[in-house]
Amino acid sequence: MSIEGKRILLGVTGSISAYKSALLVRLLVKAGADVQVVMTESAQQFITPLTLATLSKRPVLSTFVNTNSDRSGDGSWNNHVELGLWADAFVIAPASAHTLARCAAGLCSDLLAAVYLSARCPVFFAPAMDVDMYQHPSTVENLRRLNSFGNHIIRAEHGELASGLIGEGRLAEPETILQTLYDFWAKQESTEAVQALSGKRVLITAGPTQEPIDPVRYISNHSTGKMGYAIARAFVQAGANVTLVSGPTALPLPAPAVTRINVRTAQEMFGATQEAFANADIIVLSAAVADYTPAHPADRKIKKKETSFSLELTKTTDIAATLGAQKQPGQLMMGFALETDNERENALKKLYAKNLDWIVLNSLRDSGAGFGHDTNKITVIDKEEQTYEFALKSKDEVAQDLVSLVIKSL
């Protein structure tokens, strides 16, 4: 995928790392992109508009009305709506904590924020700030909100910061930002061009199960279903017919075209999955199914009486192993393994024991991966033991990677 001819808005905000925006402009222009820089007032304290205008071969914009000498003070209007419609991508790099907060809250106090609110194109935020600012709950929440709006976050990197501290907060290198754009358009082009999944029937399990102890209590786990729902959304976008068997979650339907079957217990999930299995071309088992269930759930609430309380548990049906034994030629199965130790060894055992085509390995030792996060870091191993390692990404991006692996196998 080429960036040549792409129209890119580059937003530069008040951060010491604004000096890197000059190299980013140069790389984008060299790649054939048409670059328009929009700066905040505070950004001009770190790098001059003249530098970026010279590199981009376009006047830098920072105000709604032109009064500066490079535009002869003609009073012409920088139309934020037209800018938002003009661009193929809006990259805000560096994105300061202040800018992240304004955009997350929808505050429109300058040209850059107005362009962001008007943009119909993909928006990429590349944050840059000191480590404590980057890790502060308000910044974390603002990044989460921006991501939930459909924006893309180019995570800050780990290293020495301007304060002298060492940690996450460094602006991603210009080469990394450029590669992110290449990867985005390559995936978009692939999704648009690929017909391999058109008409394919995909069965996906997601979320936790709840195993009743009595009418009030149950055994469960920390799964939110976010990963499975993202996978369902990605397969629909690739043209597949998707059936989602979902344990209890607070998530909305991932896409209107998804057929969702709601279940509660491991046995219910097994029954629904078994029923849909024979007609499925691709099966993705991402649910966190309980391994054990109470042997004799009470029909009334158990009262607190004794100092200790014993609960007899019995094994649930192993959905992956059962379906793997029934798998027919042409069917493809992907399972998940969340591990805390001996990760690869345990994942390989599961891959072969359950007759899977891929095993998606998560490690709870990886920061930002596992239950509850909007991000995930995975390693995928196929039945030939070929390994695909992926960096920490949003779960929607991880889902796209998994769909791409399936498409390649077809």
Side-chain angles (χ1 to χ4, degrees), residues 74-96:
D74 57 8
S76 60
W77 180 36
N78 294 320
N79 190 325
H80 56 91
V81 175
E82 289 183 0
L83 287 167
L85 294 174
W86 170 83
D88 294 308
F90 187 12
V91 181
I92 303 176
S96 65

Side-chain angles (χ1 to χ4, degrees), residues 205-219:
T205 65
T209 62
Q210 295 177 353
E211 309 304 315
I213 298 171
D214 61 22
V216 176
R217 307 174 183 89
Y218 57 81
I219 297 172

Side-chain angles (χ1 to χ4, degrees), residues 324-346:
Q326 299 172 5
K327 189 172 71 168
Q328 299 297 311
Q331 285 186 310
L332 296 172
M333 285 183 61
M334 178 180 289
F336 277 65
L338 179 62
E339 302 292 343
T340 58
D341 51 70
N342 300 323
E343 288 97 337
R344 183 178 175 85
E345 179 184 347
N346 289 332

Side-chain angles (χ1 to χ4, degrees), residues 338 362-364 366-371 373 375-378 392:
L338 179 62
N362 290 128
S363 173
L364 279 181
D366 288 329
S367 177
F371 295 136
H373 296 285
T375 55
N376 205 357
K377 184 176 185 294
I378 64 168
L392 186 70

Side-chain angles (χ1 to χ4, degrees), residues 23 25 37 41 57 68 118 125 147 156 158 176 178 217 261 266 300 313 318 326-327 339 355 368 378 382 387 394:
L23 178 55
V25 171
V37 178
E41 183 178 348
K57 302 177 177 61
N68 51 350
S118 302
F125 287 90
N147 184 246
H158 186 279
T176 300
L178 181 66
R217 307 174 183 89
I261 301 171
R300 296 188 180 188
L313 301 177
D318 190 324
Q326 299 172 5
K327 189 172 71 168
E339 302 292 343
N355 194 24
I378 64 168
D382 65 22
T387 302
S394 73

Side-chain angles (χ1 to χ4, degrees), residues 91-107:
V91 181
I92 303 176
S96 65
H98 182 65
T99 295
L100 293 175
R102 287 190 301 137
C103 291
L107 300 179

